Amino acid sequence: MQKKNFIFLFLFLISTNTIFSQKDGYWDKTRATTEEITVSARDRIVIKTQDFPEGTTEVVYRITLLDKNQQMVGSLVSVLKAIPDPTGISQGSAGAVFILSKISGDDKCKYAVFSSDQLATQYKESGKTDDACLVQDTPVSKDAKRLSTEKSTCMRSNSGNLWFGFESKNWIMNQKIILEVVPWVDNKLSRGWTLANRKAIIDQCKTSNLAQKMTNSDDFCVCILDKIQTKYKFKEFQKLLAVERTKAFRDFGNSCFGESSLSKSVYDDLRKQAAMLAKQGMQGEAITKLTTIINDGKATALDYNAIGSSYVLTKQYGKAIKFLKEGEKLDNTELLIQLNLAHAYLLNDNFSSAKAIYKEYQSQNVTDSLSWTQKVKQDFAAFKKVGIKNDDFERVLKLMDK
């Protein structure tokens, strides 16, 4: 009974390991390399693999030396059907133990792997393996390995193929070598979205109008990239007309902007920037930030108040009145708007309109702790500080003291 439980637990651990480590890709069996090579005694030979498909991130290869008339029991392709994830090979999953051939002859050979035809040719002529990306210098009768872009220079530097160089260690008889190479294709990368291609899309996104409104546009641009990758292969996207690519960016940008919290955070950032600029006396720059919010239809009553205040401080009283009246439509109970509107009328030589507002709210507070009269005095002092003077300031203060 204990033995059965142990076996069940072992199989469960193997299956869960495969499930949780599984990568999103497939073994490309149609472009696997299977070569039966005869190497003459004391000779060297080079074999080029089949072209690896776009998106290949790793390969598994197996080398088996056979005696005369021996036949392979099972191909590497058939073995890999039991291993849906290449990481299982490194982790020792159930199928991995069968990677090495069940049979091999007594002959042995050395081999090396190269990432270019030129390096492989040099090896064939000289036997030197200095430039090989992998060298098996101890003669073997069989061998199997996994090469990945993460850990092997063979895969990081290859041009879509690998070259296997073999050197016979049999001084008398020919050798029969079976070389099998199966590529693993990453589903996402098979669509052509390499690191460089993805970075190009991100860089382009960051120059867009929407992205430039954001303090940090990383999440926004990654969202656009994900949508483009899902809809198009890279080559398909590159073949679009310039206007079609621009439309795709705009449509995906609007979608990403609207479906997340990005919209709120962007306008909150603009408000913070505008407030900071206004506090530093950079009213023109503050107006630019607030204008973006207003033009996008995202302005609140307080946004209209803020831009109205900046227009007053830059002596653009007509514009101040215009935007403050728009803010009043959104909230006619906001006393900060009423106060700035009174200031704008006063400085625009419309004392009667200003007087009516000053008198109407003089008994109220503009905030929970600041009275209307106190705020008027603060504002008049601020106006004088930036060079805005008006003979009616004292007249207004006396008016509210009555």
Side-chain angles (χ1 to χ4, degrees):
M1 186 68 180
Q2 286 182 340
K3 185 176 180 181
K4 285 184 179 179
N5 289 337
F6 175 78
I7 293 172
F8 175 78
L9 177 62
F10 175 72
L11 292 174
F12 173 76
L13 290 173
I14 288 173
S15 63
T16 52
N17 177 66
T18 301
I19 291 169
F20 289 108
S21 67
Q22 194 164 28
K23 292 187 176 182
D24 187 13
Y26 60 94
W27 295 111
D28 193 327
K29 303 173 179 68
T30 61
R31 279 176 279 194
T33 299
T34 303
E35 293 279 349
E36 184 175 313
I37 314 147
T38 300
V39 185
S40 302
R42 293 177 290 178
D43 197 6
R44 285 187 296 274
I45 192 170
V46 171
I47 300 298
K48 178 184 177 182
T49 64
Q50 297 279 352
D51 295 343
F52 297 148
E54 190 166 19
T56 298
T57 58
E58 42 206 308
V59 299
V60 170
Y61 70 84
R62 182 170 72 178
I63 296 167
T64 311
L65 276 74
L66 301 177
D67 287 340
K68 186 177 181 180
N69 298 325
Q70 273 187 306
Q71 298 296 320
M72 293 294 296
V73 172
S75 69
L76 180 58
V77 165
S78 65
V79 170
L80 291 175
K81 288 180 180 178
I83 310 175
D85 176 2
T87 57
I89 296 167
S90 297
Q91 295 168 353
S93 67
V97 297
F98 297 110
I99 287 293
L100 284 173
S101 176
K102 293 181 181 179
I103 62 169
S104 66
D106 295 327
D107 286 345
K108 295 183 178 181
C109 75
K110 295 181 179 181
Y111 71 90
V113 184
F114 300 89
S115 56
S116 75
D117 186 30
Q118 180 183 1
L119 297 176
T121 301
Q122 291 173 0
Y123 160 80
K124 186 176 181 181
E125 294 172 353
S126 67
K128 292 183 179 180
T129 58
D130 298 346
D131 296 318
C133 57
L134 186 150
V135 178
Q136 177 58 49
D137 210 27
T138 302
V140 292
S141 62
K142 57 185 176 183
D143 203 4
K145 284 186 174 66
R146 169 192 171 219
L147 305 177
S148 70
T149 52
E150 297 172 355
K151 298 181 179 180
S152 171
T153 57
C154 294
M155 297 302 296
R156 286 197 294 268
S157 60
N158 88 86
S159 57
N161 302 90
L162 290 177
W163 286 259
F164 284 75
F166 296 94
E167 181 178 350
S168 171
K169 300 313 293 179
N170 191 323
W171 286 73
I172 301 173
M173 304 293 291
N174 293 344
Q175 290 182 323
K176 184 165 72 171
I177 302 174
I178 306 294
L179 170 66
E180 301 166 279
V181 185
V182 184
W184 171 268
V185 182
D186 181 284
N187 281 334
K188 184 175 284 189
L189 293 180
S190 69
R191 296 173 62 80
W193 291 105
T194 63
L195 180 63
N197 292 339
R198 299 198 304 275
K199 185 177 183 301
I201 297 296
I202 294 290
D203 290 343
Q204 186 174 348
C205 166
K206 285 182 175 293
T207 65
S208 67
N209 291 332
L210 274 176
Q212 290 181 345
K213 294 176 184 177
M214 305 175 190
T215 304
N216 187 340
S217 61
D218 288 352
D219 289 347
F220 173 68
C221 289
V222 168
C223 176
I224 290 178
L225 173 62
D226 286 343
K227 290 183 180 297
I228 291 175
Q229 286 184 100
T230 299
K231 184 169 182 179
Y232 300 101
K233 290 184 177 181
F234 178 72
K235 289 181 179 178
E236 292 172 347
F237 188 71
Q238 289 298 94
K239 289 178 181 178
L240 294 178
L241 297 174
V243 291
E244 292 175 319
R245 286 199 298 272
T246 300
K247 183 178 185 301
F249 264 102
R250 183 173 63 250
D251 291 347
F252 289 139
N254 289 336
S255 175
C256 289
F257 195 63
E259 71 186 22
S260 66
S261 60
L262 283 171
S263 177
K264 183 179 183 303
S265 65
V266 165
Y267 294 115
D268 285 347
D269 281 345
L270 286 172
R271 291 182 181 101
K272 290 176 184 176
Q273 292 171 37
M276 184 63 68
L277 290 166
K279 189 175 182 180
Q280 295 171 351
M282 303 170 70
Q283 304 299 335
E285 290 83 349
I287 288 169
T288 299
K289 301 292 184 184
L290 293 165
T291 299
T292 298
I293 300 173
I294 291 169
N295 288 344
D296 287 353
K298 302 296 182 180
T300 65
L302 289 178
D303 293 328
Y304 281 105
N305 177 67
I307 198 171
S309 176
S310 289
Y311 275 127
V312 168
L313 290 169
T314 54
K315 301 181 181 181
Q316 300 180 76
Y317 307 124
K319 288 183 178 179
I321 293 168
K322 172 189 171 183
F323 284 101
L324 290 166
K325 294 293 284 184
E326 290 297 319
E328 187 181 34
K329 292 177 185 176
L330 294 178
D331 186 357
N332 60 7
T333 66
E334 179 52 67
L335 293 194
L336 289 174
I337 290 178
Q338 297 299 332
L339 184 58
N340 276 318
L341 192 55
H343 295 335
Y345 281 138
L346 179 69
L347 295 170
N348 203 40
D349 297 326
N350 188 345
F351 181 79
S352 61
S353 295
K355 176 184 175 181
I357 299 173
Y358 284 129
K359 287 294 291 181
E360 182 176 356
Y361 300 106
Q362 70 176 13
S363 63
Q364 298 190 40
N365 281 3
V366 292
T367 70
D368 59 350
S369 59
L370 184 65
S371 74
W372 174 273
T373 301
Q374 288 173 321
K375 179 61 174 166
V376 170
K377 290 178 180 179
Q378 287 180 6
D379 288 353
F380 283 174
F383 291 156
K384 291 177 181 178
K385 193 172 182 179
V386 296
I388 297 176
K389 299 178 181 180
N390 191 290
D391 294 338
D392 289 327
F393 285 168
E394 292 301 322
R395 187 179 174 188
V396 169
L397 293 175
K398 288 179 182 178
L399 181 71
M400 289 191 295
D401 285 339
K402 293 180 181 179

